[in-house]
Amino acid sequence: MASIAQAIRLALHYGEEHLDVKNIFGEDVGPPLGGVFTATQGLKTAWNSPLDERGIVGMAMGLALAGSRSVAEIQFADYIFNTIDLLKIAGNTCWASYGQFPMPMTIMSPVGSGIRGSIYHSHSFDAWATRLPGWKIVMPSNSLDAYGLLIAAMKDPNPVLYLPPKALLRVRGEELIPGEPSDEKELRSMIDAPLGDRSAWKPRWPEVTEYTVEIGRGKIVKEGSGATVVSYGRTLPLCKRASEELTAEGHSVEVIDMRSLYPYDWKMIVGSILKTRRVIYINEDTEVTNFGEHLCRRTVDELFYNLEAKPRVLAGKHLPGIGLHPNLEENSVPQYEHILHEIRELLSEQP
C-alpha cells in the first residue's frame, strides 16, 4: 500500500497527465530532492523556486489568473504565515470579480507536529486556514483520501489549501489507490528515487486512474451509538484506535473523519450527534480560537436540547510553539492517552 507521500506523488502525476497541471513548484520540489518529504520525486513539471513563500503564492496566483493550473508547495505550514495577505486576496478574487476571474490553484503545505520539528516545524494551520473566505480547506488522514482529495483540489475552479499532516506522510494506507500495484516493494521500485546519484533515474509510473473525494464530504470511519468523535489529520488514527479499545471495554463510539474543513459535512456530524447525543471535537491546533470551538458553538446553538452531555473540545495547548524535547511535544498536543481519557470522561458524564 502507498504511503501518503507516495499517494500525493501519484495524484500529482495524474494531474500532469490528465488535468492539464503544467507547474508543480516550491522550495526543493524539483530535482534532485523532489521535496523534503519526497512527495514530488520524478514529476516532469516539478521545479525549484527561490526560498520565498510570498513569491511562491504570488506565482500560483498569476498562473491561475492566466488560466494555467498549478500546484505550489509551501515546504512547511510554519512558513505560510507571511503569505496570509496574499491568501486573502486569492480567496476573494473570484467573488470580488463577480466570477470573471476564477482561481484554479492548489497550495500544498504539510502541517502539524509529530516529526520532532520543534518550534519552527510543528505548527498547525487549521484554524487560520478556515478564516480565509473563498478557500476550500482539506486534510487527509490516509493514503486513499490523500490521493482523492488532491485530484479533487486540482480539478476545482477555486483556490484549495491541501494540508497533509507531517506525522502521517510515511504511514501506509489500508486501501489500494486505483491502479496501484498491490506489492508495496514493486511500487517503491517504480516511483521512489534511489539514494545517491539520481541524475539518470526515471520513474515508471503505474497506470493510476481517476479517484476523487468530494470536497465537503466527511466519512464515518467507525460506527457507534454511545458518543461521536469528530477529528481529522494526525489525531484521526488515534481517535479510531481509542474507539476500538473502548469497544473492547463494552462502549460504542462513532468516529468521523472530516477530511474537508471547509466546506465541512455538517449534515453528517448532526446525524451522528442526534444518534449518540454526545460529541467531542479533537485536533491538535491551539485551543484558543480553535476550529473545534466553532463546531462546538454550532452544536450548542442547533442541538442543545438533543444533548445528554456537554460537547467537548480537545486541542493543543495555547503555546507559541512546540519544544524539541519529546516530553514537551507530547504534552503540547493531544496524544493517544489524552484522547482515550477525554472520550472516557464524555461517556461517563451523566445526563
Side-chain angles (χ1 to χ4, degrees), residues 24-223:
I24 299 167
F25 61 98
E27 298 164 12
D28 296 317
V29 161
L33 189 60
V36 293
F37 295 103
T38 70
T40 53
Q41 284 183 351
L43 296 165
K44 64 183 180 182
T45 65
W47 51 275
N48 295 315
S49 74
L51 304 181
D52 176 11
E53 287 79 17
R54 293 178 62 82
I56 291 167
V57 173
M59 175 69 75
M61 292 170 64
L63 288 167
L65 288 170
S68 179
R69 291 186 179 273
S70 67
V71 177
E73 182 185 80
I74 304 298
Q75 195 173 73
F76 294 91
D78 310 69
Y79 301 106
I80 202 171
F81 290 88
N82 71 336
T83 72
I84 284 179
D85 56 336
L86 293 175
L87 298 177
K88 185 178 184 300
I89 293 169
N92 70 26
T93 296
C94 185
W95 178 83
S97 67
Y98 201 58
Q100 295 182 74
F101 294 101
M103 278 289 211
M105 57 185 277
T106 300
I107 301 292
M108 178 169 65
S109 191
V111 295
S113 66
I115 62 167
R116 302 289 188 255
S118 191
I119 191 169
Y120 295 115
H121 297 86
S122 301
H123 279 91
S124 294
F125 193 63
D126 321 357
W128 289 88
T130 57
R131 296 184 198 117
L132 295 167
W135 282 85
K136 296 183 177 181
I137 319 296
V138 299
M139 187 182 298
S141 67
N142 61 75
S143 298
L144 185 60
D145 284 352
Y147 182 83
L149 285 168
L150 185 49
I151 288 180
M154 289 186 286
K155 294 176 67 176
D156 204 289
N158 301 283
V160 180
L161 271 167
Y162 179 86
L163 306 175
K166 300 167 194 167
L168 300 183
L169 283 164
R170 293 284 177 263
V171 176
R172 299 203 168 276
E174 298 178 354
E175 299 176 85
L176 285 172
I177 292 165
E180 173 195 348
S182 57
D183 185 346
E184 64 184 56
K185 292 183 179 179
E186 180 183 359
L187 180 66
R188 286 201 303 270
S189 71
M190 296 174 72
I191 69 169
D192 284 9
L195 298 176
D197 183 12
R198 300 173 178 176
S199 58
W201 174 75
K202 299 288 184 184
R204 296 179 294 110
W205 297 105
E207 292 294 326
V208 289
T209 58
E210 181 164 313
Y211 171 82
T212 59
V213 173
E214 181 182 346
I215 297 176
R217 182 67 61 87
K219 181 181 181 181
I220 296 175
V221 298
K222 186 177 181 301
E223 294 192 355

Side-chain angles (χ1 to χ4, degrees), residues 222 243 246-253 344 347:
K222 186 177 181 301
S243 74
L246 290 164
T247 296
E249 297 174 6
H251 299 290
S252 180
V253 178
R344 281 201 175 111
L347 289 164

